């Protein structure tokens, strides 16, 4: 059962708000906003649990965080928050918070995508019955849209909608990184490494192209690398003795820089992948020595 809220809706204080995750982790940013700023729940444990490495041949993406299905499981099993997954926009009840995936093409505050590029984008929303209020923590924007407008945008992807309740009993879970629950997490790093290699083969063939395809792929690759950097910065910030892990953050920053220098450096692509291999090995070493 979804427990509706009777509360003043959250307004961003841009001076004090910092996105915890990157652009490709929109559902994590929105869920963190709901937990931290609506329910006043400590998200420290979630930031620890939310450590992963994965890729998808279906969406041609790679990331360093848990999938949305595992995030919803965490809410229900660890935080006792009721979550109801629905697949029809008309089934959204009034006076309820929910996560919804709209098309960034329709969102005027996402200037790089508005009316130019289609991209699935999860946002925290609230149905007031007369309109939908949306909060986008990554872009630090709040917007009011009609029910019909949101439905039309949602129909682009028709992704599951998650109705969010309040916890039946507040708990303080203690979790390990999600990746440690996998049978062979070291092989996941190898899979992602080879997947990125494959993506770069395609990207390299576009180096002499001046069309939109090269720019779009470059933006996507950079966004995914930066999203992992954001997620690791959040993860290690919540670890004791952050200074012990600063070398991993610095290596991710170096990897990001090498990406942009590929066309400018001799053997630029080799240097990028050497840097990526180094940071993967640092993370594996951290995970092997992990203890709660």
């Amino acid at each position: 059962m979804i427990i509706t809220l009777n509360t003043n809706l959250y307004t961003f204080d841009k001076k004090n708000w910092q996105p915890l995750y990157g652009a490709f982790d929109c559902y994590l940013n929105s869920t963190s906003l709901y937990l931290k700023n609506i329910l006043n729940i400590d998200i420290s444990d979630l930031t620890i649990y939310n450590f992963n490495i994965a890729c998808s041949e279906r969406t041609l993406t790679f990331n360093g965080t848990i999938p949305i299905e595992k995030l919803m499981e965490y809410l229900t099993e660890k935080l006792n928050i009721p979550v109801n997954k629905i697949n029809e926009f008309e089934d959204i009840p009034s006076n309820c918070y929910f996560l919804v995936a709209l098309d960034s093409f329709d969102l005027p505050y996402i200037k790089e995508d508005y009316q130019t590029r289609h991209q699935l984008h999860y946002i925290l929303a609230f149905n007031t019955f007369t309109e939908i209020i949306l909060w986008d923590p990554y872009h630090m924007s709040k917007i009011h849209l009609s029910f019909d407008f949101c439905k039309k945008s949602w129909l682009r992807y028709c992704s599951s909608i998650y109705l969010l309740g309040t916890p039946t009993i507040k708990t303080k879970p203690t979790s390990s990184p999600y990746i440690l629950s996998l049978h062979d997490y070291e092989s996941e790093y190898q899979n992602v490494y080879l997947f990125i290699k494959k993506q770069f083969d395609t990207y390299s063939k576009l180096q002499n192209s001046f069309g939109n395809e090269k720019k779009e792929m470059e933006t996507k690759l950079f966004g995914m690398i930066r999203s992992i950097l954001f997620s690791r910065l959040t993860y290690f910030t919540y670890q004791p003795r952050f200074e012990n892990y600063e070398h991993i953050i610095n290596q991710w920053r170096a990897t990001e820089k090498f990406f942009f220098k590929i066309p400018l450096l001799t053997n630029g692509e080799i240097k990028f992948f050497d840097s990526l291999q180094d940071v993967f090995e640092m993370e594996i070493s951290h995970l092997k020595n992990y203890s709660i």
Side-chain angles (χ1 to χ4, degrees), residues 53-55 61-63 189-203 217 221 224-225 228 252 269 272-273 276 280:
I53 198 73
C55 58
T61 56
F62 56 90
N63 62 77
Y189 276 97
Q190 181 64 15
N191 291 339
V192 171
Y193 182 85
L194 294 175
F195 175 84
I196 297 175
K197 276 268 193 185
K198 185 177 177 181
Q199 290 296 295
F200 266 77
D201 287 343
T202 303
Y203 176 64
M217 189 166 192
L221 288 169
M224 290 185 286
I225 293 167
I228 297 180
W252 271 113
E269 190 168 320
F272 168 81
F273 278 101
L276 183 67
F280 278 4

Side-chain angles (χ1 to χ4, degrees), residues 19 36-37 46-47 57 111 116 133 153 155 174 176-178 180 200 210 229 249 284:
K36 188 176 180 182
N37 296 82
L46 174 58
T47 66
E57 292 285 352
K111 301 189 187 309
T116 60
I133 304 175
S153 185
L155 284 170
T174 303
S176 300
Y178 167 77
L180 292 177
F200 266 77
F210 295 97
L229 169 59
I249 298 300
I284 291 170

Side-chain angles (χ1 to χ4, degrees), residues 89-153:
F89 204 85
E90 290 84 353
D91 292 340
I92 300 172
S94 59
N95 197 34
C96 180
Y97 284 100
F98 58 98
L99 289 181
V100 62
L102 301 185
D103 186 354
S104 62
F105 181 91
D106 301 317
L107 301 173
Y109 62 85
I110 306 182
K111 301 189 187 309
E112 62 271 27
D113 291 350
Y114 184 55
Q115 300 296 299
T116 60
R117 187 170 75 106
H118 295 282
Q119 179 71 46
L120 181 148
H121 189 63
Y122 268 101
I123 314 172
L124 178 65
F126 189 92
N127 182 13
T128 70
F129 183 71
T130 58
E131 64 180 357
I132 304 289
I133 304 175
L134 304 118
W135 297 265
D136 189 327
Y138 181 77
H139 295 278
M140 295 188 289
S141 295
K142 177 183 178 182
I143 190 170
H144 297 242
L145 297 172
S146 71
F147 190 93
D148 288 343
F149 183 94
C150 290
K151 178 183 176 181
K152 183 179 178 181
S153 185

Side-chain angles (χ1 to χ4, degrees), residues 219-232:
T219 300
K220 185 176 181 180
L221 288 169
F222 171 72
M224 290 185 286
I225 293 167
R226 170 152 283 193
S227 287
I228 297 180
L229 169 59
F230 267 52
S231 71
R232 296 310 190 243

